[in-house]
Amino acid sequence: MDAVTTTQGVKPPFDQSRLDRLMDEADFDFLIATSKHNVQYLLGGYKFIFFSGMDAIGHSRYLPLVIYEKGRPDRAAYIGNKMESGEHQNRPFWTPELHTATWGSLDAAALAAEHLTKIGRTDARIGIEPAFLPSDAYIALRKALPDAKVFDATSTFERMRALKTPEELAKLRKASDLITESMLATIAAAHEGSTKADIIEHLRREETNRGLHFEYCLLTLGSSHNRAVSPQAWAKGEVLSIDSGGNNQGYIGDLCRMGILGEPDAELEDLLHEIEAIQQAAFSKIKAGAMGEDMIIEAEATLKTSPSAAFTDFFCHGMGLISHEAPFLMTNHPVAYEGIDADKPLEENMVISVETTMLHPRRGFIKLEDTVAVTASGYEMYGETGRGWNRGGTAG
């Protein structure tokens, strides 16, 4: 995993040299991770089960912190909840300093300040995650460390996670494979009269039974473009789009597949073929060293030739522990980020979601969303099954 063993003998479960280089570029002495995804990454995949689905407890919240000093993993610290001492007994955390003593955000901030004081770095340049550090903890940290300089390290954390390890790729592949399996089983089980609520609940069970953590399902039936849960029922001859996200040990699968109750007519075959042509155009430009914008230009050029171009959209984004992460390839105003990586080369082991969405005025919501990992010579697709028209009502 490219981990570095220091003279102090501490071996972090991540690429230390890469993280140190990113910290050099940003001029940070320390990083303090407080988001669940970055804490999980820095701890080598660990996530405390008690707070996996919530944060609030009592008058405060669970606030795990990983403190990492550039070039000094021997002085790294993990600050966690008091109940995590049992986790440490079963599978020791790698950080030399461990404080499983907190029940809220203020005591977590106090222990972070105490750690920096103990190692004599109260004047350090510290990178934090502003969107994931509660205001009371931030204020307490600033009061306890008045000489420290604090900066937004969101971009550094994002760059840290951009290149996936073989273990991460395996988790992403499994998440994608299990989601497509679940979606195809759900389409086959749905029948005339099945409501959107019924279908979504069936998908939740399919994903959960396969060991995934169900995140969401966006579903349309017939000519509607509305993807929210409702009592709308599936009728003969109608299309179904099923877009679902689920995670495998924190790693996200996010794909979309199409169903039909009956047989697709020639028009539906042509419409899905248009979408497939745009997807394939994008795939043709994916490989390590190619510019991110190359696949966007190729896909959009193909989109312009489509008879359905006026109501069809192409998009792509990085993914991993969260559903939109580096590389940031296209501007996405609803999610509020810019496509700052379009003019940079793709790197091996980046993972990208590629999606083409058609909002047809008569035939409904037609979409394919695929997950690909960048390789030296091209790409590898995850969860590649079911990319055509899948028939509903075929389960025994």
Side-chain angles (χ1 to χ4, degrees), residues 257 269-283 302 356 358 366-368 370 379 381 387-388:
R257 295 293 181 259
E269 293 280 17
D270 288 345
L271 294 175
L272 194 57
H273 179 74
E274 289 179 46
I275 289 176
E276 174 69 352
I278 298 164
Q279 293 287 99
Q280 292 297 331
F283 298 153
T302 302
T356 302
M358 180 185 295
I366 305 175
K367 175 179 179 178
L368 286 177
D370 298 300
Y379 66 93
M381 185 180 290
R387 301 183 69 258

Side-chain angles (χ1 to χ4, degrees), residues 378-391:
Y379 66 93
E380 186 174 357
M381 185 180 290
Y382 296 165
E384 64 268 34
T385 57
R387 301 183 69 258
W389 285 107
N390 301 286
R391 276 65 173 176

Side-chain angles (χ1 to χ4, degrees), residues 29-32 67-70 72-77 96-97 99 111-124 126 145:
D29 301 316
F30 285 83
L31 290 177
I32 299 180
I67 304 173
Y68 175 74
E69 181 178 2
K70 183 179 66 182
R72 295 296 304 269
D74 58 303
R75 301 212 292 198
E97 286 284 327
H99 303 281
L111 285 171
E114 183 181 305
H115 176 74
L116 289 168
T117 301
K118 182 173 124 181
I119 62 176
R121 297 305 309 272
T122 56
D123 60 347
I126 303 170
L145 302 170

Side-chain angles (χ1 to χ4, degrees), residues 176-184 255-258 368-370 381-388 390:
S176 300
D177 289 347
L178 294 180
I179 285 173
T180 51
E181 282 182 24
S182 299
M183 291 195 294
L184 297 185
L255 301 103
C256 185
R257 295 293 181 259
M258 296 301 302
L368 286 177
E369 181 173 9
D370 298 300
M381 185 180 290
Y382 296 165
E384 64 268 34
T385 57
R387 301 183 69 258
N390 301 286

Side-chain angles (χ1 to χ4, degrees), residues 161-175:
R161 302 193 320 272
L163 305 185
K164 275 57 179 181
T165 65
E167 292 82 2
E168 289 180 290
L169 292 173
K171 290 175 182 176
L172 284 161
R173 172 182 277 284
K174 185 175 181 180

Side-chain angles (χ1 to χ4, degrees), residues 290-349:
M291 296 296 134
E293 64 188 358
D294 291 350
M295 72 165 159
I296 299 167
I297 292 169
E298 191 73 12
E300 291 186 337
T302 302
L303 171 58
K304 286 178 183 176
T305 68
S306 168
S308 307
F311 41 83
T312 303
D313 181 68
F314 172 80
F315 193 70
C316 56
H317 57 89
M319 57 185 297
L321 276 169
I322 59 178
S323 59
H324 283 249
E325 63 176 41
F328 297 102
L329 298 165
M330 299 180 72
T331 297
N332 188 321
H333 287 298
V335 186
Y337 61 76
E338 302 298 319
I340 58 175
D341 295 322
D343 61 351
K344 299 181 179 65
L346 298 174
E347 297 182 65
E348 188 171 3
N349 297 338

Side-chain angles (χ1 to χ4, degrees), residues 86-120:
E87 303 284 335
H88 179 63
Q89 290 169 10
N90 295 337
R91 191 183 69 174
F93 299 108
W94 74 268
T95 56
E97 286 284 327
L98 175 66
H99 303 281
T100 51
T102 70
W103 280 107
S105 53
L106 289 177
D107 46 358
L111 285 171
E114 183 181 305
H115 176 74
L116 289 168
T117 301
K118 182 173 124 181
I119 62 176

Side-chain angles (χ1 to χ4, degrees), residues 75-251:
R75 301 212 292 198
Y78 177 53
I79 296 167
N81 180 265
K82 191 171 184 179
M83 290 187 289
E84 289 179 87
S85 58
E87 303 284 335
H88 179 63
Q89 290 169 10
N90 295 337
R91 191 183 69 174
F93 299 108
W94 74 268
T95 56
E97 286 284 327
L98 175 66
H99 303 281
T100 51
T102 70
W103 280 107
S105 53
L106 289 177
D107 46 358
L111 285 171
E114 183 181 305
H115 176 74
L116 289 168
T117 301
K118 182 173 124 181
I119 62 176
R121 297 305 309 272
T122 56
D123 60 347
R125 297 174 62 85
I126 303 170
I128 63 167
E129 299 184 78
F132 296 93
L133 183 61
S135 60
D136 61 350
Y138 174 78
I139 291 168
L141 199 61
R142 298 301 289 124
K143 284 183 178 178
L145 302 170
D147 297 326
K149 298 175 179 62
V150 179
F151 304 91
D152 183 349
T154 301
S155 179
T156 299
F157 282 111
E158 288 165 348
R159 300 298 155 194
M160 171 185 74
R161 302 193 320 272
L163 305 185
K164 275 57 179 181
T165 65
E167 292 82 2
E168 289 180 290
L169 292 173
K171 290 175 182 176
L172 284 161
R173 172 182 277 284
K174 185 175 181 180
S176 300
D177 289 347
L178 294 180
I179 285 173
T180 51
E181 282 182 24
S182 299
M183 291 195 294
L184 297 185
T186 298
I187 293 170
H191 51 78
E192 186 174 6
S194 293
T195 68
K196 291 176 74 175
D198 295 335
I199 298 168
I200 291 170
E201 173 56 21
H202 190 99
L203 179 69
R204 185 194 66 78
R205 292 197 304 270
E206 292 284 354
E207 291 189 7
T208 301
N209 290 342
R210 287 170 170 80
L212 291 174
H213 178 82
F214 176 78
E215 297 279 354
Y216 62 85
C217 176
L218 304 173
L219 187 76
T220 69
L221 297 176
S223 61
S224 173
H225 299 159
N226 186 317
R227 299 203 286 171
V229 65
S230 79
Q232 181 187 357
W234 203 8
K236 269 287 188 185
E238 287 187 339
V239 305
L240 169 154
S241 74
I242 188 165
D243 187 332
S244 180
N247 78 63
N248 169 38
Q249 299 180 54
Y251 287 84

